[in-house]
Amino acid sequence: MSNPNIPAGAYDDHLARVLPRAREQRLWAPADGTLPSLFVSHGAPFTLDDPQWLGDLFTWAQSLPKPKAIVIISAHWEDAPAAISSAAAGTPLYYDFSGFHPRYKTLPYATPDATDLARRLVATLGPASAVHEHPDRGLDHGAFIPLMAMYPAADVPVVQLSMPSLEPAALLEFGARLRPLRDEGILIIGSGFMTHSFAVFRRPDLAAYTEAFDEWAADALERGDVDALTDYRRKAPGASVAHPTADHYVPLLAAVGAASDPGSAISTIDRMIMGNSTRSVQMN
């Protein structure tokens, strides 16, 4: 049992329990075929205090072969033109949060050298897009927190890619340009939150709006209705409450764009936490 009085105590227990399995996970091979495209609802540091959330993320990762590399697009980095994080091994994390116990800013996630991945990513996006590398920018919490749960051995090269726009259609097209990487054993992850409302913390009655949005999104994904997902501001119930800003929603569009068949979406995590949906999906 995790100790709720220790910040990230659930993560400590998670690490002790699953690290041997994580190290033994079978690496992707061409015979495995194309890896899926994922959308992950990530939490702030409190994810590391939730044993079920950590376990669900790890179980999901274990259901797939270990990717050769990971490209992740987080809600917390908008930069145009497109930019990538440092590819150097062990680049310090970017602890882009405040107001939490200091321990959360000491937890490491030192991933291997990702130079080859960075080159491949730049080649994939260019020459239509100039891609800038930030040599000192590590993974932000929208990237490292879900990955700490999913791949706790920190043995997969990772590059974080900025969102060059918050326009849903632009992110959809951006994701589509990443699609070929999935054939090479590279996992594409959009990391946001299916609903992201701070107002619901203060007014629990607003949960009806986040729940309605979540149900709408799940249905649209199941039907592969990309037009509706892109036009969510007009078509989704409760959109203004569920997503007062676009940043945590549009990584979903990047993941949908990277998918070959958006209608193949299955929900791998489906919980409401503090009035918000942690729905996470996998698409072929």
Side-chain angles (χ1 to χ4, degrees):
M1 292 291 290
S2 60
N3 186 341
N5 297 317
I6 299 176
Y11 176 68
D12 292 338
D13 292 347
H14 175 76
L15 204 59
R17 185 175 63 257
V18 307
L19 197 53
R21 288 174 57 199
R23 288 174 173 153
E24 294 170 1
Q25 185 177 5
R26 182 179 65 81
L27 186 65
W28 177 89
D32 292 314
T34 304
L35 281 178
S37 171
L38 311 184
F39 172 74
V40 178
S41 286
H42 73 261
F46 60 75
T47 305
L48 304 178
D49 298 311
D50 187 327
Q52 182 177 343
W53 205 345
L54 292 168
D56 287 346
L57 286 166
F58 181 72
T59 298
W60 185 10
Q62 287 287 301
S63 72
L64 306 170
K66 182 188 294 184
K68 290 175 59 179
I70 296 171
V71 174
I72 188 164
I73 299 172
S74 160
H76 298 281
W77 192 15
E78 181 189 0
D79 197 355
I84 59 174
S85 61
S86 171
T91 299
L93 299 176
Y94 177 34
Y95 298 103
D96 57 329
F97 49 77
S98 59
F100 295 92
H101 190 280
R103 186 183 184 225
Y104 295 109
K105 293 190 175 184
T106 67
L107 296 170
Y109 192 68
T111 52
D113 179 81
T115 303
D116 289 344
L117 173 61
R119 290 196 189 106
R120 183 70 186 92
L121 184 56
V122 170
T124 298
L125 291 174
S129 295
V131 180
H132 176 70
E133 181 175 349
H134 285 263
D136 299 321
R137 193 189 197 281
L139 305 176
D140 66 38
H141 82 268
F144 71 76
I145 284 186
L147 293 179
M148 286 170 73
M150 298 175 80
Y151 300 100
D155 55 358
V156 180
V158 181
V159 164
Q160 184 172 342
L161 179 61
S162 75
M163 296 184 292
S165 169
L166 293 182
E167 287 297 319
L171 264 292
L172 184 73
E173 187 274 334
F174 191 58
R177 291 161 64 191
L178 303 175
R179 194 180 301 158
L181 299 177
R182 297 171 43 229
D183 297 330
E184 303 169 24
I186 298 171
L187 189 63
I188 308 300
I189 302 178
S191 177
F193 224 116
M194 190 57 78
T195 69
H196 190 251
S197 172
F198 289 112
V200 76
F201 297 168
R202 300 182 297 271
R203 288 185 50 192
D205 59 297
L206 294 178
Y209 293 94
T210 55
E211 290 168 359
F213 184 95
D214 175 59
E215 291 173 5
W216 171 87
D219 177 67
L221 284 163
E222 184 177 338
R223 292 183 289 103
D225 193 341
V226 176
D227 290 340
L229 291 165
T230 304
D231 196 17
Y232 76 103
R233 283 290 180 205
R234 289 196 310 144
K235 296 185 176 178
S240 61
V241 173
H243 288 287
T245 58
D247 50 355
H248 279 73
Y249 177 78
V250 292
L252 172 65
L253 273 299
V256 169
S260 305
D261 178 12
S264 66
I266 56 171
S267 294
T268 54
I269 297 175
D270 178 11
R271 292 171 63 203
M272 298 296 292
I273 296 179
M274 294 190 291
N276 281 296
S277 169
T278 66
R279 187 180 301 278
S280 299
V281 297
Q282 173 176 319
M283 294 162 280
N284 295 327

